[in-house]
Amino acid sequence: MSRPLRVAVVGAGPAGMYAAGHLLEGPAGTYLRGRTMRLSTGPVEVDMFDRLATPWGLVRHGVAPDHPDKKQVQRVFEEIGARPGFRFFGKVTVGVDISVAELGQWYDAVIFAVGATGDDVRLGIPGEELPGSHSAREFVSWYSGHPDHRFLDVDLSQPRAVIVGNGNVALDIARVLLTPVEVLAHTDIADHALETLRDSKVREVVVLGRRGYRHAAFHAPELSELGELAGVDVVVEYGSDTVDYSDSERRSTLLRGYAERPEGTADRKLVLRFLGTPVAVQGDERVSGLRVANNRWNGGGIEPTGVEETIDAGLVLRAIGYRGTPVPGLPFDEHTGVIPNIEGRVTDSDTPIPGMYVTGWIKRGPRGIIGTNKKCARDTVRALRADHENGLLRGDTTLSAAAAARVVRERCPEVVDWRGWNRIDRHEVAAGAEWQRPRVKLTDPDAQLAIAAGR
Ligand code: NAP
């Protein structure tokens, strides 16, 4: 095939951007098993689709606003987006505006990098639907300025909030709730969240794990960071756990450090509480507390002690993991919440579907840091390249770049291209400069479209 290999990537988050980067390798090639080599053997063109006008997925709408270093990866993505052969089609929803079958016909291959943030894991307890009870997905999207969640009704009028689950997302949320607003005011947090937090009455955040401290899901750097929060005392409640003070694991050492600190006098408090399983969200009209059954560690797992108590709180946030949602036209594993695949090749009843691939959280589940997606995408791109070289891609009805752009524009007149996104980006960064902020995000989709169109 002398024409370029034409690949559609669905989803412009880290997984999709890394996949595009591996497909459109820079001159240095790809780092693999201790050396740099070329994955690509011929010219490639990548058309990237996203349902939003803005790319970068969880880097824009997930990474905590007080972690600007983690957002630096956007520089890498910008460089990939500027490579020859890359095009962006924002505001195009695959499965609605364009079907999976159409993409399969128009492109030699399609990589789905749609993430796993379409749905929440549920606790399955009474009261979960009460106002004041939200999933981390909603809450994080709200403070990150995701257009779909900008009107979330967040009530911070009560002094205590409880976060269920003790992964890194729980700690992100706890920091946002407790960080002084003057500090947040110099981040890219959404303006509406900043205003709500300005009037926040929350003074205590309880991060509740159902198991003991050794099984907490947060990482050591994130745990260590809590100790640096200005004006916040960190308190550890181990419950009935037997704390092994000889345990030298870094997180245990950090927890012990917090536990052994003399009682603080700070205005705000972060409680890391262990061995508590939520059994009901309480309240009449709104959340008033969380009923918790205490557990003990029996050596192999947790078991209830038989003692229950209520933590009074006006806000309950479930940070117990994300879940992928099906893409219409593709198989979906309801049990694991991912698109079934073998090494990135989408499968139907264990048989690969020619030309269909996945990468990122929709391939392997909602686990791992941003960098994990780099290797994940590389593995998928290697599978795709191998299939291409072995003649396993269809390629009989592939559209040219011009024809593909024409048909997308006909379907989606509001489509935002890379130039349009760059206009949004420049607008946001310029708006932020005035306030010593990295950017002020546009969260209204109409405003995004207007700026993208140069209006
Ligand atoms: P996570 O790390 O999987 O943590 C989920 C937490 O929810 C665990 O503590 C889990 O406890 C608990 N949980 C699950 N079901 C529960 C239930 N029914 N009742 C009570 N607790 C329950 O998920 P995450 O925090 O959403 O993070 C997702 C991924 O993104 C992780 O890989 C994380 O490291 C990554 N991430 C990284 C960063 C960073 O690098 N700074 C920031 C954010 C997210 P059990 O362990 O007992 O199941």
Side-chain angles (χ1 to χ4, degrees):
M1 209 191 290
S2 57
R3 65 171 177 79
L5 177 71
R6 302 223 352 102
V7 181
V9 176
V10 184
M17 289 307 302
Y18 279 127
H22 291 314
L23 285 163
L24 301 168
E25 279 179 320
T30 295
Y31 185 77
L32 199 62
R33 294 206 188 99
R35 66 196 172 99
T36 302
M37 61 180 287
R38 294 197 66 81
L39 291 179
S40 302
T41 49
V44 185
E45 290 173 351
V46 173
D47 284 353
M48 178 168 280
F49 296 88
D50 201 289
R51 72 184 185 88
L52 298 180
T54 56
W56 303 341
L58 278 183
V59 171
R60 181 174 168 98
H61 294 130
V63 173
D66 62 338
H67 276 174
D69 49 327
K70 293 199 171 71
K71 296 187 192 227
Q72 284 305 316
V73 70
Q74 64 201 34
R75 301 280 159 260
V76 175
F77 299 159
E78 273 166 10
E79 186 273 315
I80 292 169
R83 288 184 195 170
F86 179 92
R87 298 192 303 182
F88 178 62
F89 296 95
K91 274 295 206 192
V92 179
T93 304
V94 170
V96 176
D97 300 316
I98 297 174
S99 71
V100 167
E102 285 172 323
L103 279 187
Q105 284 167 7
W106 299 348
Y107 291 87
D108 295 307
V110 188
I111 300 179
F112 292 87
V114 293
T117 56
D119 206 354
D120 313 313
V121 180
R122 320 291 299 172
L123 280 168
I125 59 174
E128 207 172 350
E129 309 301 333
L130 276 172
S133 162
H134 309 283
S135 67
R137 182 179 73 100
E138 295 168 317
F139 192 76
V140 170
S141 299
W142 170 75
Y143 68 61
S144 303
H146 192 297
D148 291 355
H149 298 276
R150 66 195 200 281
F151 297 127
L152 189 73
D153 174 21
V154 174
D155 181 353
L156 304 180
S157 63
Q158 301 304 310
R160 190 180 292 114
V162 184
I163 304 172
V164 179
N166 58 14
N168 287 328
V169 170
L171 297 196
D172 282 350
I173 295 174
R175 289 196 319 278
V176 167
L177 283 170
L178 292 171
T179 296
V181 84
E182 312 81 68
V183 175
L184 291 176
H186 292 291
T187 71
D188 69 353
I189 191 169
D191 275 354
H192 55 246
L194 195 59
E195 289 319 305
T196 306
L197 285 159
R198 218 179 271 290
D199 298 327
S200 172
K201 300 285 183 291
V202 174
R203 292 293 172 268
E204 181 178 322
V205 174
V206 180
V207 174
L208 180 70
R210 58 182 168 180
R211 299 194 281 163
Y213 72 98
R214 284 184 203 83
H215 302 100
F218 47 61
H219 296 166
E222 282 69 21
L223 181 60
S224 166
E225 204 182 350
L226 299 180
E228 292 152 27
L229 280 177
V232 177
D233 287 330
V234 182
V235 175
V236 184
E237 293 180 0
Y238 288 111
S240 61
D241 211 354
T242 316
V243 180
D244 176 3
Y245 282 113
S246 65
D247 188 342
S248 63
E249 203 241 340
R250 175 131 188 262
R251 295 182 313 171
S252 306
T253 311
L254 285 163
L255 283 169
R256 190 194 320 159
Y258 293 136
E260 290 177 350
R261 276 186 189 177
E263 199 178 326
T265 54
D267 177 37
R268 298 175 182 215
K269 190 154 84 165
L270 196 166
V271 181
L272 297 169
R273 179 172 168 169
F274 297 94
L275 290 167
T277 296
V279 290
V281 180
Q282 296 184 322
D284 297 326
E285 306 279 296
R286 301 191 59 86
V287 167
S288 64
L290 184 71
R291 189 85 183 147
V292 174
N294 290 336
N295 300 319
R296 72 167 73 85
W297 185 250
N298 65 13
I302 46 170
E303 59 185 24
T305 62
V307 176
E308 287 190 7
E309 58 187 295
T310 296
I311 307 174
D312 293 333
L315 184 67
V316 171
L317 300 167
R318 308 179 299 271
I320 58 170
Y322 292 93
R323 223 187 118 73
T325 43
V327 176
L330 281 183
F332 187 71
D333 185 332
E334 286 294 345
H335 179 63
T336 55
V338 302
I339 293 175
N341 69 92
I342 299 172
E343 291 168 353
R345 297 176 176 95
V346 176
T347 55
D348 194 3
S349 309
D350 293 331
T351 306
I353 305 176
M356 296 286 163
Y357 300 86
V358 277
T359 191
W361 277 7
I362 200 63
K363 169 185 173 186
R364 61 191 157 78
R367 281 177 299 280
I369 59 173
I370 293 166
T372 315
N373 292 297
K374 189 169 184 182
K375 179 187 178 303
C376 182
R378 191 192 67 198
D379 292 346
T380 292
V381 168
R382 285 183 81 198
L384 188 158
R385 298 295 320 201
D387 291 350
H388 175 49
E389 275 152 32
N390 293 325
L392 297 175
L393 304 181
R394 288 178 25 165
D396 46 352
T397 55
T398 305
L399 294 184
S400 69
R406 205 163 41 240
V407 73
V408 172
R409 228 162 250 293
E410 275 164 20
R411 295 277 179 92
C412 306
E414 292 183 328
V415 63
V416 174
D417 61 12
W418 200 245
R419 190 146 34 120
W421 152 244
N422 282 330
R423 286 199 189 104
I424 296 175
D425 188 36
R426 280 197 301 274
H427 176 94
E428 291 186 340
V429 171
E434 198 180 332
W435 308 97
Q436 293 85 49
R437 301 178 67 183
R439 67 177 63 237
V440 174
K441 284 182 189 167
L442 288 171
T443 61
D444 175 358
D446 291 336
Q448 291 178 343
L449 288 180
I451 298 293
R455 293 200 293 275

